[in-house]
Amino acid sequence: GDSVTQMEGPVTLSEEAFLTINCTYTATGYPSLFWYVQYPGEGLQLLLKATKADDKGSNKGFEATYRKETTSFHLEKGSVQVSDSAVYFCALGGSYIPTFGRGTSLIVHP
Amino acid sequence: SQTIHQWPATLVQPVGSPLSLECTVEGTSNPNLYWYRQAAGRGLQLLFYSVGIGQISSEVPQNLSASRPQDRQFILSSKKLLLSDSGFYLCAWSVSGQGANSNQPQHFGDGTRLSIL
């Protein structure tokens, strides 16, 4: 079945550091890929998405590229801020039920 | 625009008491609806989903149940809560229609923090 694997957290960075959160997937067909962000005490919010191979999703300085050859969708940001501290979930779309990774906690220190 | 409302935001209940959490969606018709639970420091566990009124699919056997009495209303219930039911409960919706779903994101409510004493 479909699955999503995210790097274990927490990821701890200093402000303005470069961020990469790895995400790999296994899937049948060609689902869309998503990154969601969850701030403390809140629900998940869609951060970005990509619908086909080589698509790059971007939002709020975050980027991720749909790599079919490596079945990956790594999240990157060039310069993180304290306000980016949150849990990040990688997910792939399904006909009714998406598949989520376990989430990666990001902690950014001033 | 579409909005999702979930309440209450927090709830403290004794073991053995009943539960009713409500979720409503506005601004869309015939959405797919979902209930998730998130234990502390853990990922999302899908509990139930619904593709239409009265249609409920259960993903995990447990003492919880769900109902969809109206098109945009989704209710999570229990007759007797267990300690293990504590957690953060999230309702979500997505655009309906098989095939189209794989390209559509989910939209989440703000969640209900449930503590069982």
Side-chain angles (χ1 to χ4, degrees):
Chain A
D2 295 351
S3 66
V4 174
T5 302
Q6 284 183 242
M7 61 190 294
E8 291 280 336
V11 174
T12 304
L13 296 172
S14 297
E15 205 164 26
E16 300 183 2
F18 184 86
L19 168 71
T20 300
I21 299 179
N22 290 338
C23 171
T24 58
Y25 67 90
T26 57
T28 54
Y30 305 98
S32 288
L33 299 174
F34 307 93
W35 277 102
Y36 292 84
V37 59
Q38 184 179 30
Y39 298 104
E42 299 183 8
L44 279 70
Q45 303 173 25
L46 177 67
L47 182 59
L48 54 84
K49 76 172 191 178
T51 57
K52 60 184 186 299
D54 299 324
D55 264 3
K56 177 185 283 187
S58 61
N59 186 25
K60 300 180 181 179
F62 291 90
E63 294 182 341
T65 301
Y66 190 158
R67 300 287 189 198
K68 186 179 167 197
E69 63 277 11
T70 55
T71 61
S72 65
F73 193 53
H74 305 321
L75 182 68
E76 297 181 335
K77 187 175 185 182
S79 176
V80 294
Q81 306 300 312
V82 172
S83 57
D84 293 326
S85 298
V87 179
Y88 293 81
F89 291 89
C90 183
L92 59 88
S95 60
Y96 289 114
I97 305 172
T99 301
F100 284 87
R102 291 180 58 83
T104 301
S105 175
L106 171 65
I107 301 169
V108 180
H109 294 293
Chain B
S1 63
Q2 302 92 359
T3 55
I4 179 168
H5 302 280
Q6 195 181 335
W7 68 93
T10 59
L11 190 60
V12 181
Q13 293 284 97
V15 170
S17 63
L19 172 74
S20 180
L21 302 180
E22 191 161 341
C23 172
T24 59
V25 179
E26 296 178 357
T28 188
S29 296
N30 193 32
N32 293 333
L33 296 171
Y34 306 82
W35 278 112
Y36 290 90
R37 178 168 59 203
Q38 190 177 27
R42 304 289 297 275
L44 296 173
Q45 179 186 34
L46 179 64
L47 302 175
F48 301 95
Y49 71 95
S50 171
V51 300
I53 296 174
Q55 300 178 61
I56 309 293
S57 296
S58 174
E59 290 295 301
V60 182
Q62 58 213 324
N63 71 321
L64 299 172
S65 62
S67 61
R68 185 171 178 172
Q70 299 180 43
D71 181 41
R72 291 168 290 175
Q73 183 184 29
F74 205 25
I75 298 171
L76 183 69
S77 304
S78 174
K79 293 181 179 177
K80 282 188 176 182
L81 286 167
L82 307 173
L83 283 173
S84 57
D85 291 324
S86 292
F88 191 49
Y89 288 81
L90 289 162
C91 181
W93 72 273
S94 67
V95 171
S96 64
Q98 188 174 9
N101 281 12
S102 67
N103 291 336
Q104 300 299 325
Q106 290 190 316
H107 307 274
F108 287 81
D110 291 333
T112 296
R113 177 77 56 194
L114 176 63
S115 299
I116 311 299
L117 303 179

